[in-house]
């Protein structure tokens, strides 16, 4: 960012209060999301290495199928927050409803693709003969919950834009508890194995979607916003999300490339990769809590024509992201003797996972700044730049990762490539933030 006068202590405290008020509840909600996969991993992991390897492939596919549409949350948060900053709550909720309708349509389309093509998709990822049947079972059942997952994304974006991160926290915690109980009961109590884990997740996600819809519909009635689908509004929401879709597809391609490479290293390495990736997602979502606050706060400031407030909030969030990354990295190092035994008793899997775990710990300060800047630019509606930057990152990461099996670096080398990827993201986002070109005020970006 361009140089600016020192921010007075009172202003810093005000920004801190805003960040904490939004980020702390968002932290709980975001952490609950990867905990769904971590619970599945912990429960399924004790069924056997083949089942855990199958879950690794299927969950990566499922996360991709849902994650490519994360713009339903991010774009909605920014758009709604700008309307809130401009003082037009009715238009804010109406825009959010367009996103929810779009989510329902996209979820139905994804099911139509995943259900018949599940075996082909799993095979393309290079799952072993022992892991593939488990991956297909989990993927087919879990895909039935995709519409609910996308509705949850869009409705979460509406509430975040309204500066409400507490409700998503409550819903996420309830969903996590339900998911854990259902998985344990269906996997072991009902003896359904990996299929029980998938059904538990589907039921929990549908329940979460029902709660979100109830909250948003009540808000729409309160502010006189229409609930009917509006073709023009849905189309506008889709068009606004295209750059973020490109960004997310590039990021998902990175995760999928890493999973493909790990799968070709063998069952022990893909199982270890699943454990490390679950932790990485947990830490990423935790860091993203400040980014979520950034989306809502930056959008509101820009919508209220307060460019200076947006810049000051951005600087303060960078400081928060750096400090949080350092703390999380230290916690990972301290907890490593306790973490791995939670997921596997296989000494070969543990040995493969430990060096990668330490790399994840060392990269957390970089990740902290990356997620914050990502959130700031999303809140500003700077999607086209984010798309271009992520395409560049993918182009640099892919050859480095694909060379891992040839050079014989194993899982450690693969996670070194992941650390390189985050460093490239840091550079591209930092340059954009310093340029100031993201500061565009008004009710629309």
């Amino acid at each position: 960012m361009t140089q600016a006068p020192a921010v007075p202590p009172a202003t810093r405290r005000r920004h801190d209060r805003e960040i904490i008020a939004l980020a702390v509840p968002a932290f709980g909600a975001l952490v609950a999301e990867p905990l769904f996969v971590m619970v599945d991993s912990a429960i399924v992991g004790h069924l056997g290495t083949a089942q855990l390897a199958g879950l690794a492939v299927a969950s990566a596919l499922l996360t991709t199928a849902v994650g490519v549409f994360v713009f339903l949350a991010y774009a909605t948060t920014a758009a709604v927050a700008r309307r809130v900053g401009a003082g037009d709550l009715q238009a804010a909720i109406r825009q959010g409803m367009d996103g929810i309708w779009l989510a329902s349509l996209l979820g139905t389309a994804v099911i139509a693709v995943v259900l018949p093509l599940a075996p082909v998709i799993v095979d393309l990822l290079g799952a072993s003969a022992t892991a593939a049947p488990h991956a297909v079972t989990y993927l087919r059942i879990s895909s039935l919950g995709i519409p609910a997952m996308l509705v949850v994304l869009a409705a979460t974006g509406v509430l975040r834009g309204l500066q409400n991160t507490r409700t998503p926290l409550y819903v996420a915690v309830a969903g996590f508890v339900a998911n854990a109980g259902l998985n344990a009961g269906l996997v072991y109590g009902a003896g359904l194995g990996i299929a029980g884990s998938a059904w538990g997740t589907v039921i929990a996600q549908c329940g979460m979607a029902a709660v979100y819809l109830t909250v948003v519909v009540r808000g729409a009635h309160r502010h006189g916003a229409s609930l009917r689908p509006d073709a023009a509004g849905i189309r506008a929401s889709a068009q606004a999300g295209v750059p973020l879709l490109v960004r997310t597809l590039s990021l998902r391609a990175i995760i999928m490339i890493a999973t493909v490479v790990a799968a070709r290293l063998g069952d022990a390495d893909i199982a270890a990769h699943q454990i490390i990736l679950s932790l990485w997602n947990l830490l990423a979502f935790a860091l993203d809590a400040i980014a979520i606050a950034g989306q809502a706060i930056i959008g509101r400031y820009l919508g209220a024509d307060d460019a200076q407030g947006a810049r000051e909030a951005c600087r303060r969030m960078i400081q928060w992201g750096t400090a949080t990354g350092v703390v999380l990295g230290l916690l990972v190092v301290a907890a490593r003797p306790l973490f791995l035994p939670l997921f596997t008793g296989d000494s070969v899997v543990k040995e493969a996972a430990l060096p990668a775990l330490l790399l994840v710990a060392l990269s957390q300060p970089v990740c902290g700044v990356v997620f914050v800047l990502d959130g700031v630019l999303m809140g500003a509606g700077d999607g086209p730049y984010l798309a271009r930057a992520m395409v560049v990152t993918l182009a640099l990461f892919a050859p480095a990762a694909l060379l891992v099996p040839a050079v014989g670096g194993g899982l450690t080398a693969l996670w070194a490539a992941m650390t390189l990827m985050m460093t490239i993201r840091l550079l591209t986002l930092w340059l954009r933030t310093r340029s100031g070109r993201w500061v565009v005020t008004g009710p629309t970006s």
Side-chain angles (χ1 to χ4, degrees):
M1 291 182 298
T2 54
Q3 287 294 107
V7 179
T11 303
R12 286 200 304 272
R13 287 193 294 271
R14 175 168 56 83
H15 287 310
D16 287 346
R17 287 193 297 270
E18 288 182 333
I19 293 168
I20 292 171
L22 291 171
V24 171
F27 174 83
L30 289 167
V31 166
E33 294 181 31
L35 283 176
F36 272 70
V37 177
M38 292 187 74
V39 165
D40 288 0
S41 298
I43 292 174
V44 172
H46 290 286
L47 292 174
T49 299
Q51 287 88 340
L52 182 58
L55 175 64
V57 174
S59 63
L61 287 165
L62 185 65
T63 302
T64 299
V66 176
V68 294
F69 301 116
V70 74
F71 70 84
L72 291 166
Y74 292 159
T76 303
T77 298
V80 171
R82 278 184 177 265
R83 298 287 187 181
V84 169
D88 192 348
L89 289 177
Q90 184 183 72
I93 295 177
R94 176 62 259 179
Q95 195 149 16
M97 285 304 305
D98 292 335
I100 290 174
W101 280 111
L102 178 61
S104 301
L105 294 173
L106 291 173
T108 303
V110 172
I111 286 182
V113 173
V114 173
L115 272 180
L117 296 179
V120 176
I121 299 171
V122 168
D123 185 61
L124 287 175
L125 258 72
S128 69
T130 54
H134 302 294
V136 171
T137 296
Y138 189 91
L139 181 61
R140 276 184 164 157
I141 296 172
S142 295
S143 69
L144 300 176
I146 288 176
M149 295 178 193
L150 298 191
V151 168
V152 166
L153 284 177
T156 299
V158 176
L159 295 180
R160 289 171 181 168
L162 293 170
Q163 317 293 296
N164 175 5
T165 56
R166 289 183 179 274
T167 299
L169 170 62
Y170 301 147
V171 176
V173 170
F176 167 71
V177 172
N179 180 67
L182 287 165
N183 278 2
L186 294 174
V187 171
Y188 296 114
L192 296 180
I194 195 170
S197 177
W199 280 117
T201 300
V202 169
I203 295 169
Q205 290 287 353
C206 288
M208 292 171 65
V211 174
Y212 271 120
L213 287 175
T214 300
V215 173
V216 173
V217 167
R218 287 177 179 173
H221 287 319
R222 188 162 52 250
H223 296 288
S226 173
L227 298 173
R228 295 178 181 178
D230 176 65
I234 294 172
R235 187 166 53 252
S237 294
Q239 290 171 347
V242 168
L244 290 181
L245 176 60
V246 172
R247 166 211 172 264
T248 304
L249 283 172
S250 299
L251 180 57
R252 285 294 144 194
I254 288 170
I255 302 300
M256 294 303 292
I257 288 171
T259 301
V260 168
V261 171
R264 298 188 186 283
L265 294 174
D267 280 1
D269 281 306
I270 185 62
H273 177 71
Q274 170 63 14
I275 294 170
I276 300 302
L277 187 61
S278 296
L279 174 64
W280 192 74
N281 285 332
L282 172 62
L283 296 171
F285 277 111
L287 290 169
D288 207 25
I290 304 172
I292 295 301
Q295 292 173 32
I297 292 171
I298 295 298
R300 193 190 74 234
Y301 274 122
L302 294 178
D305 294 322
D306 187 355
Q308 182 60 28
R311 291 189 181 94
E312 291 173 353
C314 175
R315 281 191 289 272
R316 192 59 176 162
M317 282 183 281
I318 290 172
Q319 295 169 356
W320 275 80
T322 304
T324 304
V326 170
V327 171
L328 289 177
L330 292 174
L331 286 175
V332 170
V333 173
R336 70 188 187 281
L338 304 175
F339 178 75
L340 293 176
L342 289 175
F343 296 92
T344 182
D346 190 327
S347 60
V348 177
V349 175
K350 290 180 185 178
E351 184 178 350
L354 183 57
L357 186 69
L358 295 176
L359 277 175
V360 168
L362 290 172
S363 69
Q364 287 313 293
V366 171
C367 294
V369 178
V370 166
F371 282 104
V372 165
L373 295 182
D374 213 32
V376 166
L377 296 182
M378 284 183 189
D382 202 13
Y385 178 82
L386 290 172
R388 294 191 298 271
M390 191 58 74
V391 168
V392 170
T393 302
L394 171 60
L396 295 174
F397 167 79
L402 293 173
L403 281 173
V404 167
V407 301
L411 195 64
T412 304
L414 176 59
W415 277 92
M418 292 288 285
T419 303
L420 172 65
M421 178 269 295
M422 293 303 295
T423 304
I424 295 168
R425 289 187 68 191
L426 174 63
L427 177 61
T428 58
L429 296 174
W430 183 259
L431 290 174
R432 182 64 168 185
T433 308
R434 284 187 61 84
S435 75
R437 295 176 184 174
W438 56 278
V439 183
V440 179
T441 60
T444 58
S445 58

